[in-house]
Amino acid sequence: MADEEPTPREGRPVLEGLVALVAVALAVGLILGGGALLAKRLIGLDGDAAASDGSSGGETMYLPTPSPTERDTGPQITLAPDPGGEGGPPPSSKSEEPETAISLTSDASEVGSMERIYLRGTYPDGEGAILQVQQWEGDDWGIFPVTASVSNETFTTYIQTSQVGKNRFRVVDTDSGEASNEIRVTIR
């Protein structure tokens, strides 16, 4: 009997592997949980002591005693004074129209060659209109190959040109022919 070799375990290797896996997971969980509990107590996140005696100076909810307020009897909004009333100028019998219905501005008065020149403006009552950019060409306005559309009574676009010197631009409503004021931009 002394010559017998030990036989390998012929049990259930899958079951033994699962038991070992559960044991390792349990051991790791206990170690991590204990470490987290210890860290919580070390950095002062333990709220049990503060809640039991109430003297920790932590946050409290204080509601002041309600008291009656005075009712505001004044106007809720303030309107502009009546121009025909006291202290205002007398109403004008002649309605003043702006010089042009289309107002045009530029962000810059001087730019380099082929830099963007942003054109912005307003066109009251011109909703949906297409505006053609025009450039002064010596003795007449020529068409510049850029358009802008009016939305919410405003428009914006940009142009680029390499024509150095002083340039004049305007926009014209393609349907009505109404023209804006002109702007001057120097191209260097």
Side-chain angles (χ1 to χ4, degrees):
M1 292 234 164
D3 291 336
E4 286 185 25
E5 292 184 26
T7 61
R9 294 175 77 182
E10 293 184 18
R12 301 179 182 116
V14 173
L15 181 61
E16 290 174 0
L18 284 176
V19 169
L21 184 63
V22 168
V24 168
L26 185 60
V28 169
L30 286 174
I31 291 171
L32 290 178
L37 183 61
L38 180 63
K40 176 185 164 194
R41 290 194 181 182
L42 286 177
I43 62 173
L45 292 178
D46 189 18
D48 295 337
S52 63
D53 65 2
S55 64
S56 68
E59 293 182 22
T60 62
M61 185 169 140
Y62 170 75
L63 292 175
T65 305
S67 62
T69 58
E70 294 180 22
R71 185 161 188 78
D72 187 13
T73 58
Q76 299 298 314
I77 59 171
T78 305
L79 300 175
D82 182 19
E86 298 174 12
S92 172
S93 61
K94 180 179 131 185
S95 65
E96 297 177 20
E97 285 193 25
E99 239 179 71
T100 61
I102 306 172
S103 173
L104 178 66
T105 61
S106 172
D107 287 352
S109 61
E110 185 173 329
V111 296
S113 178
M114 293 307 289
E115 284 187 28
R116 287 185 177 185
I117 303 167
Y118 289 93
L119 304 176
R120 303 179 199 288
T122 59
Y123 187 10
D125 301 323
E127 187 67 28
I130 303 299
L131 304 177
Q132 176 69 55
V133 177
Q134 292 184 341
Q135 181 177 19
W136 184 256
E137 297 175 344
D139 60 347
D140 198 13
W141 289 101
I143 293 177
F144 199 86
V146 174
T147 59
S149 62
V150 178
S151 177
N152 294 325
E153 297 185 350
T154 63
F155 61 91
T156 183
T157 189
Y158 71 90
I159 58 174
Q160 294 174 296
T161 184
S162 61
Q163 184 175 340
V164 294
K166 294 185 183 204
N167 287 273
R168 295 162 47 187
F169 299 98
R170 72 177 187 177
V171 292
V172 175
D173 184 338
T174 57
D175 289 335
S176 71
E178 179 78 30
S180 73
N181 58 299
E182 72 176 50
I183 59 164
R184 295 171 187 245
V185 180
T186 302
I187 310 297
R188 43 181 158 72

